[in-house]
Amino acid sequence: MLISVIVPVYNVERYLRRCVFSFLEQTYGEIKIILVDDGSSDWRCDELTEEDGRIRVVHKANGGVSSARNVGIDMANGE
C-alpha cells in the first residue's frame, strides 16, 4: 500500500532536507513525498527529486498552507 506524505513548503530551506529524509528513513518503503512549494523565495527544492525518486515537487503561487495542502491532496495517489 502506497502512502503519500504531503509537505507544504514555504521558506524552510534550513529544515527541509532533514524533514524529507526523516520520512525516507522510516522502515516502511512504499512512500511518496509531495513537496508543495507555496511560492518560497529562499530556495527551490527540485534538487531533492534527483536524490530520491519517491520525492515529487509541485510549485504554486503563494496561497497559504491550506491551499498548498489541498494541491498536495489533489496530487496524492496513496492511501
Side-chain angles (χ1 to χ4, degrees):
M1 170 174 42
L2 178 68
I3 295 176
S4 296
V5 178
I6 301 163
V7 183
V9 176
Y10 182 76
N11 294 342
V12 291
E13 176 183 2
R14 182 176 176 188
Y15 310 103
L16 187 60
R17 181 174 296 279
R18 183 175 177 190
C19 170
V20 168
F21 285 97
S22 71
F23 286 122
L24 295 175
E25 291 171 356
Q26 300 301 310
T27 56
Y28 191 79
E30 294 183 55
I31 188 171
K32 177 173 135 182
I33 299 173
I34 303 168
L35 302 175
V36 183
D37 175 11
D38 191 35
S40 294
S41 61
D42 65 346
W43 181 61
R44 296 288 183 203
C45 41
D46 293 306
E47 68 183 43
L48 292 174
T49 62
E50 297 170 6
E51 294 185 38
D52 196 300
R54 297 175 290 177
I55 302 169
R56 179 152 186 216
V57 177
V58 179
H59 299 283
K60 63 177 277 318
N62 184 264
V65 69
S66 296
S67 172
R69 191 177 304 116
N70 289 338
V71 167
I73 289 170
D74 290 341
M75 309 276 318
N77 57 3
E79 298 295 318

